[in-house]
Amino acid sequence: MADCYEALLEALKEAVEKRLPEIQQNGEWLLRHPETGFKEYETQAHCVAILEAHGFKVRTFPDVTGFTAEYETGRPGPSVMLMGEMDALINREHPFCSPVTGAAHACGHFLQVATTMGAFLTLAESGLLKDFCGRLMLMGVPAEECIEQDWRLEEIRKGRLHFLGGKPELMYRGAFDEADLIIGMHAGFGSDGRILPFGMHNGFMVESVLFKGKAAHAAGNPEKGINALYMVNTALTALNGLRETFRDEDRVRVHPIVTCGGSVPNVIPDEARVECQCRANNMETVRDADAKFERAMGAGAYAFGGKAVITRQPGYLPYRPTPEFDALALDVISDVLGPDRGALGQPVAGSEDLGDLNSVKPAMMVFANFMKGYPHGADYLVADPRIYRDTRAPLLNS
């Protein structure tokens, strides 16, 4: 049995080696064509065309991006899904940003799509699964990054969308119903060459606040106005004063932005807008932070005699790792890449809609530490495009 396993691993490495140019070419194309969540139309069309050229029937979904394909062994057994996130962020300083939209793969999702498609095609076309049972599935998912909140909330109000994240949206549409285990990868932190199963991630709520005041001439009769921007200033000051009430062990993160502060400088702003995400590693604390945020926003509006219209929407649930899957992943990492290449991931304050999926389906992802710079930053890029063919080679930065 051990000899058979070793032979399978060697055959797998050879198959990946042969497909590597195609994987890298796909990754380069995806890097240079970033699109934000629920708008990955060009990305989806590109991926569907590749899969159809390989002879696979691809399923897409009405009114929302996302695609799936599958390979049947012809024998009953489990369905294992490989999953890649398609969306980009907004980062106009990134060297590969779109000059039109400012979208950029500053979180490395282009690697997810390229590697999961490469893994799917390698396993399906190499003959390595000829003695296996069950089904191999591929899923391209939209909108992991929870950005452009006002636009998504409007799409929810229209009824086209139901959730802010791509995974819960496709869950709602039944895209994961037939999967028994879902596996994905994500660009990691640093360039030490290790692979780390995800540690715990925060959950969060989304808040969108419209402050309503009264317009007036900013120089001629400002006393006739009610300044919505000053409401925002006061509200954010109150929110900052509440930060000392957050416990360190809950990993609370509350980070608002001002998306509108008026239209022209010689008119007292009658409207201003704030978007915020309230995060923590448990939903009880998320709700507590969310309530404090809403009180601060209301206080800012009350101080000036204006109004704060608050729209709230569940974001993502916390992701809680499954220890059995993490242990299995570490065994496979050691077998494929060699000892000391795997390590358990640590808790992070960021969020992933994988938490929603893992709440109802067995799902996991791993970080691949082949990156330089900082996630979401303009310098976040692949540190070294090589696949580690020699598992005895030293780790990067070791």
Side-chain angles (χ1 to χ4, degrees):
M1 179 65 73
D3 291 341
C4 180
Y5 181 58
E6 290 296 330
L8 182 63
L9 287 180
E10 289 305 314
L12 175 61
K13 292 178 183 179
E14 291 177 8
V16 171
E17 182 82 25
K18 291 178 182 178
R19 195 169 295 273
L20 182 57
E22 180 182 346
I23 296 172
Q24 291 178 325
Q25 183 180 20
N26 192 19
E28 280 289 325
W29 188 97
L30 292 163
L31 174 64
R32 297 173 186 275
H33 295 80
E35 297 168 294
T36 56
F38 295 122
K39 302 175 184 178
E40 306 98 333
Y41 305 112
E42 194 174 7
T43 300
Q44 175 170 299
H46 168 79
C47 294
V48 169
I50 290 175
L51 292 166
E52 289 181 340
H54 281 271
F56 290 95
K57 184 178 179 180
V58 183
R59 174 191 175 192
T60 56
F61 305 92
D63 299 324
V64 69
T65 46
F67 64 89
T68 183
E70 59 184 53
Y71 169 83
E72 287 276 6
T73 65
R75 292 173 290 276
S79 296
V80 177
M81 176 181 283
L82 305 179
M83 178 182 65
E85 298 164 349
M86 301 190 296
D87 60 321
L89 289 158
I90 300 291
N91 187 324
R92 296 185 182 276
E93 296 182 350
H94 196 278
F96 294 101
C97 81
S98 165
V100 177
T101 66
H105 277 296
C107 203
H109 290 184
F110 71 100
L111 290 174
Q112 292 195 42
V113 179
T115 54
T116 51
M117 286 184 63
F120 174 81
L121 292 172
T122 298
L123 291 169
E125 297 181 342
S126 64
L128 290 168
L129 300 182
K130 60 182 177 63
D131 296 323
F132 283 73
C133 62
R135 173 171 45 176
L136 179 68
M137 306 177 73
L138 172 69
M139 175 70 76
V141 294
E144 184 275 324
E145 303 289 351
C146 192
I147 61 175
E148 300 177 313
Q149 291 176 187
D150 279 344
W151 176 79
R152 294 190 192 183
L153 289 170
E154 180 60 28
E155 293 301 300
I156 290 173
R157 283 190 285 270
K158 292 177 182 177
R160 183 177 77 88
L161 296 178
H162 307 82
F163 298 92
L164 292 170
K167 296 183 190 68
E169 183 65 31
L170 291 190
M171 287 167 60
Y172 174 84
R173 296 165 186 258
F176 297 97
D177 287 356
E178 298 181 5
D180 296 309
L181 173 63
I182 302 144
I183 303 171
M185 66 80 62
H186 199 293
F189 303 89
S191 56
D192 64 11
R194 289 185 171 89
I195 310 294
L196 297 84
F198 270 27
M200 186 170 181
H201 282 56
N202 278 1
F204 68 93
M205 291 287 293
V206 164
E207 297 274 9
S208 180
V209 187
L210 170 62
F211 290 87
K212 291 187 174 183
K214 181 181 178 182
H217 196 295
N221 55 346
E223 73 281 0
K224 302 294 185 181
I226 300 175
N227 195 313
L229 180 59
Y230 289 173
M231 296 183 213
V232 171
N233 292 340
T234 302
L236 294 183
T237 298
L239 178 64
N240 286 331
L242 288 167
R243 293 184 186 278
E244 67 179 17
T245 69
F246 300 146
R247 302 191 313 167
D248 293 343
E249 57 266 36
D250 292 326
R251 302 182 73 86
V252 179
R253 300 290 189 272
V254 178
H255 38 91
I257 62 169
V258 180
T259 59
C260 174
S263 54
V264 292
N266 60 346
V267 175
I268 296 294
D270 62 339
E271 287 191 355
R273 291 181 180 271
V274 168
E275 290 183 6
C276 188
Q277 295 173 358
C278 299
R279 310 187 195 227
N281 60 17
N282 64 88
M283 290 309 296
E284 181 180 356
T285 302
V286 168
R287 289 192 291 268
D288 176 70
D290 187 61
K292 291 175 179 176
F293 170 84
E294 292 190 356
R295 289 202 304 269
M297 298 301 105
Y302 180 79
F304 290 86
K307 295 181 180 180
V309 181
I310 300 175
T311 302
R312 60 202 299 265
Q313 176 81 14
Y316 305 158
L317 293 174
Y319 171 70
R320 303 179 185 278
T322 305
E324 294 83 356
F325 292 158
D326 288 354
L328 180 60
L330 291 175
D331 287 343
V332 173
I333 292 165
S334 179
D335 290 342
V336 175
L337 296 178
D340 302 323
R341 296 286 176 161
L344 282 175
Q346 299 302 307
V348 299
S351 303
E352 244 281 355
D353 56 357
L354 187 66
D356 296 64
L357 183 56
N358 192 47
S359 296
V360 297
K361 285 278 184 176
M364 70 167 299
M365 294 180 74
V366 297
F367 283 121
N369 287 357
F370 292 84
M371 307 300 290
K372 61 183 178 180
Y374 294 93
H376 295 200
D379 58 350
Y380 194 60
L381 297 161
V382 175
D384 191 329
R386 297 171 302 168
I387 286 180
Y388 283 82
R389 299 174 178 83
D390 184 357
T391 56
R392 297 165 298 176
L395 296 173
L396 289 174
N397 295 347
S398 60

